[in-house]
Amino acid sequence: MNVFDILGPIMIGPSSSHTAGAARIGRIARALLGTQPVQAQILLHGSFAKTYKGHGTDKALIAGIMGMEPDDERIRFSPQIAQEQGLSVTILPTEIDNAHPNTARITLTDANNHSVTLQGASIGGGNIMVTQVNGMDVQITGQYTTLIVLHQDTPGTIAAVTDVLAASQVNICNFRLSRQKKGGIAVMTIEMDGSFDCELNKRIESLPNILSSTMLLPN
Amino acid sequence: MNIEFKYDSVAALVAAAQQAGEPISALVLRQQAQHLEKNEAEVFAQMKETYAVMANCIEPGCDEHLRSTSGLTGGSAFKMRKAVQQGKTLTGSVLGGALYRALAVSELNAAMGRVVAAPTAGSCGILPAAMLTMQQDLGYSEDACIMALFTASAVGMVIATNACVAGAQGGCQAECGSAAAMAAAAITELAGGSPEQVADAVAIALKNILGLVCDPVAGLVEIPCIKRNASGVAGAFVAAEMALAGIASAIPADETIWAMKKVGDAMSPSLKETAEGGLAITPTGQKLYEQVFGTTGGCTGCGGCAKG
């Protein structure tokens, strides 16, 4: 803990969990898609579903999806900006089984019909936990530099990725694998000490059996 | 000099400051520079930026037509400032100035403005109001006010370590109470109080708000949060005035923080930000819920109680 954890974050109100955290979940969804989304479907659960209008949770999520930071003063106009940028947004309050009370499930689709689905929870003080990527369980807090690598579940793929990291002197502090089924699509989430350039990410993406690699920098 | 202290007690902060013969803020800045692996000037510059964000809340927050996203609140800071400017206050421009600034920052927060969580968004008006009033109405320098924020943060870190600063965990006493204690510490040091007097101000501010529940109408950070920010900064000045007059707290700051934690633990969940108790479930509170969300609030169970 440091002084700026107590006097901070600098954020758009009114609520660190319902507004700042929501923007961060949206940003990660956008980073995972990697391209400009044209469509966003947002399911809201629990307190998010009940109070999103009053807290501006919808606006914060949309702003995050457009890449805005939690302290961006354009957040309150984000639905309008989305419309201007050709992003169509649907928001549905719903119930998601076994989810944290402040949970959103976001599906983003780009102009080439490429899409990604992310589920995340805002767990207090603007901190978040992404719990699912394309239906696969993950645990991403965004507090470390994080690689999210979607790949085909084949022998040697994990070793190939960690070899690239080892060659760049990267220290892994957390590694997690989740897959839809044996031999199907799988996701590696790798948390690392320090921060790195996107060259590392490109080298991983060029490996065989890698579908996509996204690097999230800590905030 | 290597600064070895943790933020685990107010007493330790006071002892370190006494030993060094320096204000608490100077030690905290030095220690934080080491901790963040930056130099003191860089850490001070970051705090200066934080203070600038706080100061920039006042004008937009005092807009007569400012309204929150829900439409429930806005415009109180305008009225309070107008009363101060017209000399129509009972207690003078210092308290009046602190009140309108606290309302301004809190109302701006509710209207999706840019604020500093201090320590939370719900309590974001208290510390800015205290420091800006010290600077603009009592003539303390901007740099001195920025330094005082380090003392406030240190107190906040002790409270976060030994109790909590979230309404969902400890009620409003943990949120606005912590902010008031932090502001009381900052005001006291800024006004020339000794480290012991800073600790007394922390204890008095927290004692006076002990037991306050978190019962937001419609679950939104508006009613009663905005007015509790005004009350919080008033409480900070009350505590600082007494401490600076040499009045000690019978119960030490660290034991008061401990008591706050225990009271928070004993509080019913319905009084900890769930909007299931207190003001939130008054007839008017429920009516406002309907006004914002178009449905009846309260529990999410069978809904039977709402139909009667």
Side-chain angles (χ1 to χ4, degrees):
Chain A
M1 191 173 15
N2 68 59
V3 287
F4 302 108
D5 293 322
I6 289 293
L7 294 188
I10 295 171
M11 54 170 273
I12 299 300
S15 159
S16 55
S17 53
H18 287 75
T19 320
R24 294 184 60 203
I25 294 170
R27 269 175 68 80
I28 294 182
R30 167 59 181 269
L32 268 175
L33 183 69
T35 50
Q36 175 101 10
V38 294
Q39 210 182 333
Q41 189 201 55
I42 304 172
L43 302 183
L44 299 174
H45 166 81
S47 174
F48 267 18
K50 282 197 284 176
T51 69
Y52 74 94
K53 283 183 200 161
H55 279 126
T57 308
D58 49 345
K59 294 176 179 174
L61 284 163
I62 295 168
I65 289 166
M66 290 190 292
M68 294 181 203
E69 299 274 2
D71 72 333
D72 194 314
E73 298 203 76
R74 296 172 299 165
I75 286 180
R76 83 187 98 150
F77 310 113
S78 68
Q80 213 177 315
I81 299 171
Q83 210 172 12
E84 286 161 14
Q85 293 186 359
L87 170 64
S88 121
V89 181
T90 331
I91 294 182
L92 294 169
T94 184
E95 278 190 32
I96 300 171
D97 286 343
N98 303 317
H100 182 281
N102 292 335
T103 292
R105 186 185 288 164
I106 305 171
T107 302
L108 299 181
T109 309
D110 70 11
N112 295 320
N113 226 13
H114 170 61
S115 77
V116 68
T117 298
L118 168 148
Q119 183 174 314
S122 185
I123 56 177
N127 297 309
I128 59 154
M129 174 73 82
V130 175
T131 54
Q132 281 186 7
V133 170
N134 291 343
M136 294 175 283
D137 291 337
V138 297
Q139 282 182 5
I140 303 163
T141 63
Q143 285 173 352
Y144 294 92
T145 304
T146 307
L147 275 173
I148 305 169
V149 186
L150 286 165
H151 62 283
Q152 206 70 41
D153 182 31
T154 44
T157 309
I158 295 172
V161 169
T162 53
D163 276 353
V164 169
L165 298 179
S168 301
Q169 302 286 314
V170 171
N171 189 43
I172 296 174
C173 55
N174 185 21
F175 182 99
R176 192 182 162 96
L177 181 81
S178 179
R179 61 184 184 180
Q180 288 169 342
K181 62 174 187 187
K182 192 177 173 186
I185 308 275
V187 60
M188 288 176 229
T189 48
I190 307 169
E191 293 184 322
M192 309 171 289
D193 293 322
S195 57
F196 307 93
D197 57 32
C198 40
E199 277 305 306
L200 188 67
N201 203 31
K202 282 185 196 151
R203 283 207 292 280
I204 291 171
E205 262 193 329
S206 66
L207 294 170
N209 299 312
I210 302 296
L211 303 171
S212 73
S213 175
T214 306
M215 189 189 288
L216 305 175
L217 296 177
N219 31 56
Chain B
M1 184 173 74
N2 198 30
I3 307 291
E4 279 295 335
F5 64 84
K6 294 179 189 163
Y7 297 90
D8 55 3
S9 78
V10 175
L13 291 174
V14 171
Q18 281 171 330
Q19 203 184 342
E22 287 182 277
I24 293 171
S25 56
L27 299 190
V28 175
L29 173 59
R30 205 177 305 146
Q31 189 276 341
Q32 286 288 297
Q34 282 175 9
H35 176 69
L36 295 165
E37 296 177 0
K38 292 179 179 173
N39 63 44
E40 288 184 36
E42 286 170 317
V43 177
F44 182 86
Q46 193 177 339
M47 192 61 91
K48 186 171 180 162
E49 200 185 305
T50 300
Y51 188 53
V53 174
M54 292 176 171
N56 287 337
C57 292
I58 306 302
E59 272 315 309
C62 285
D63 184 338
E64 184 177 6
H65 305 292
L66 182 73
R67 288 294 175 273
S68 64
T69 313
S70 70
L72 292 180
T73 55
S76 308
F78 170 81
K79 287 180 188 162
M80 193 67 232
R81 183 164 76 169
K82 198 168 151 195
V84 172
Q85 284 168 344
Q86 294 176 342
K88 290 182 182 168
T89 64
L90 299 173
T91 51
S93 64
V94 173
L95 184 57
L99 296 181
Y100 86 71
R101 290 183 181 100
L103 292 170
V105 180
S106 290
E107 288 187 325
L108 188 69
N109 177 59
M112 299 193 78
R114 190 164 180 258
V115 301
V116 181
T120 61
S123 60
C124 69
I126 296 172
L127 192 55
M131 290 300 95
L132 290 162
T133 300
M134 291 297 278
Q135 186 188 340
Q136 292 168 9
D137 292 331
L138 290 165
Y140 291 90
S141 74
E142 183 188 357
D143 281 6
C145 291
I146 294 164
M147 279 309 290
L149 290 177
F150 285 96
T151 298
S153 305
V155 169
M157 284 195 274
V158 173
I159 297 175
T161 301
N162 294 329
C164 57
V165 297
Q169 273 177 282
C172 192
Q173 57 160 8
E175 206 158 324
C176 287
S178 298
M182 289 160 62
I187 295 166
T188 304
E189 185 184 296
L190 194 52
S194 66
E196 301 98 302
Q197 288 174 329
V198 168
D200 284 326
V202 168
I204 296 168
L206 202 51
K207 282 195 298 190
N208 289 352
I209 208 169
L210 208 63
L212 191 63
V213 302
C214 178
D215 50 355
V217 167
L220 301 176
V221 192
E222 299 189 49
I223 303 168
C225 321
I226 291 168
K227 294 189 180 84
R228 283 186 186 161
N229 272 261
S231 151
V233 74
F237 274 101
V238 165
E241 286 280 30
M242 283 196 257
L244 287 164
I247 301 170
S249 173
I251 308 296
D254 291 308
E255 292 182 39
T256 309
I257 294 167
W258 179 85
M260 187 270 272
K261 167 83 165 61
K262 290 290 167 194
V263 170
D265 290 347
M267 227 176 244
S268 155
S270 69
L271 299 171
K272 290 193 273 192
E273 214 182 321
T274 52
E276 288 168 351
L279 298 170
I281 58 163
T282 56
T284 303
Q286 295 282 25
K287 206 169 76 190
L288 293 172
Y289 182 104
E290 277 183 59
Q291 187 183 313
V292 178
F293 296 116
T295 54
T296 310
C299 70
T300 52
C302 65
C305 49
K307 286 171 191 152

